[in-house]
Every structure is written in C-alpha cells, then in structure tokens.
Amino acid sequence: MTALAPKKRRPATALIAFVRALSMEEPVALAEVDALVDSVCADPAERAALVSALQQVNHDEVTFVLCDLIGRRIARLRERESGLRDLDEVIGVWTQRLSAGALLAAAGAAIAGALIGTPAIAALAVPAVGGIAVALGRLRLRRGQAAIGREREETEHLLRNVQDSR
C-alpha cells in the first residue's frame, strides 16, 4: 500500500488558518501573513476561495482581522501608487526644464553661428532624443502605476466582499 502525498493547502485556506491564529493572539510573523495576503489578492480564484472559506468559518473576529490585513495591503498599494505618481511628476517637470533649456541653448548657438553643420544638428538632436527617452520611461512608470491601481481596486473589491460575507 502506498502512502498518499499530503494535500497542498490553498493560499486562501492557509490565510484563514493564519487569521484564526491571529484572532486567538498566537504569535504569527506578519511579513509571512502579508506575503500570503498578497498572493491571495493577486489571483481571482484565490479571492473567490477566500470569500467561500470565510463564509464557512462564520466567526466575526476572523472577519475583522482579515479586513485589517486586507486594509494593510490596500495601504501599501496606495503608498506605492502615490510614490510612482510623485516620481512621475518630478521627472516630468525636470525633464521639460532640462530639455527645453538645452534645446534653446543649442538653437541659440546655431543661430549665432557658434555651431554650424553636424555639431549644430547634434546639439539640437541630443536634447530631443533625451526628451523622447525620458517620455518612454514616464510611460513605463504610468503603466506600472495603472497596474498598481488595478491591484488596489481588486483588493478594495475583495475587502467589500469580505465585509459583506458577515
């Protein structure tokens, strides 16, 4: 007779087990729980399994602790989203100033005759190319910001579902 392999626990049910331990004031590593919350919130099937498992628990304190943990994730996502937004604004303002200043300086030098031919073209092209490169970087930042925003919205939706499951 062969021994059966132990069944792998879903992240959602593992999270419920951690939440039960937290509600009974047992020591639990919050970093581990936060990582588990992140993995559950990232997968639609796990979010559904979490709400289903929570309905089976039927214990208000578990729901309150779970809401707190999900709220911590929302706060982390908002902080990351805000940081990316601030970074985008700073990069945008300074890039505009540097590119416009360098372009005006190069154009002024070309008009004054200090730069002629290929050096004049290069002096005009370098700020333009730099501006384009930074614009592409800003687009990547905005895509990341949009992805974090979607994650936050999905997590907020999960929080509402958890609160409604009581």
Side-chain angles (χ1 to χ4, degrees):
M1 192 187 233
T2 60
L4 293 175
K7 188 174 180 181
K8 186 177 177 185
R9 182 181 275 188
R10 291 188 74 130
T13 54
L15 180 59
I16 291 292
F18 272 111
V19 169
R20 284 183 131 175
L22 278 171
S23 69
M24 292 186 279
E25 298 182 7
E26 291 180 21
V28 175
L30 278 179
E32 211 174 304
V33 175
D34 285 341
L36 197 54
V37 169
D38 291 345
S39 70
V40 168
C41 290
D43 184 11
E46 290 302 322
R47 290 192 301 262
L50 178 68
V51 173
S52 176
L54 187 61
Q55 289 173 347
Q56 293 173 2
V57 170
N58 196 19
H59 194 273
D60 282 344
E61 192 168 336
V62 170
T63 304
F64 291 135
V65 172
L66 184 60
C67 287
D68 184 49
L69 292 174
I70 294 172
R72 286 168 41 100
R73 175 178 163 76
I74 291 170
R76 287 192 314 269
L77 289 172
R78 281 187 179 147
E79 187 176 314
R80 285 177 48 205
E81 191 176 13
S82 175
L84 286 178
R85 189 178 315 112
D86 292 346
L87 181 62
D88 181 47
E89 287 179 23
V90 168
I91 289 173
V93 168
W94 283 104
T95 301
Q96 282 179 332
R97 290 178 182 170
L98 286 173
S99 293
L103 197 58
L104 286 174
I111 291 170
L115 293 175
I116 56 172
T118 305
I121 293 171
L124 289 170
V126 167
V129 170
I132 291 169
V134 171
L136 291 174
R138 288 184 70 198
L139 284 174
R140 188 173 38 225
L141 269 176
R142 287 185 181 163
R143 272 192 230 120
Q145 183 180 346
I148 291 172
R150 280 191 301 276
E151 280 184 52
R152 180 186 45 76
E153 288 171 1
E154 290 171 352
T155 305
E156 288 172 346
H157 182 71
L158 175 63
L159 179 62
R160 286 190 297 273
N161 286 339
V162 167
Q163 289 170 338
D164 291 344
S165 70
R166 280 190 274 145

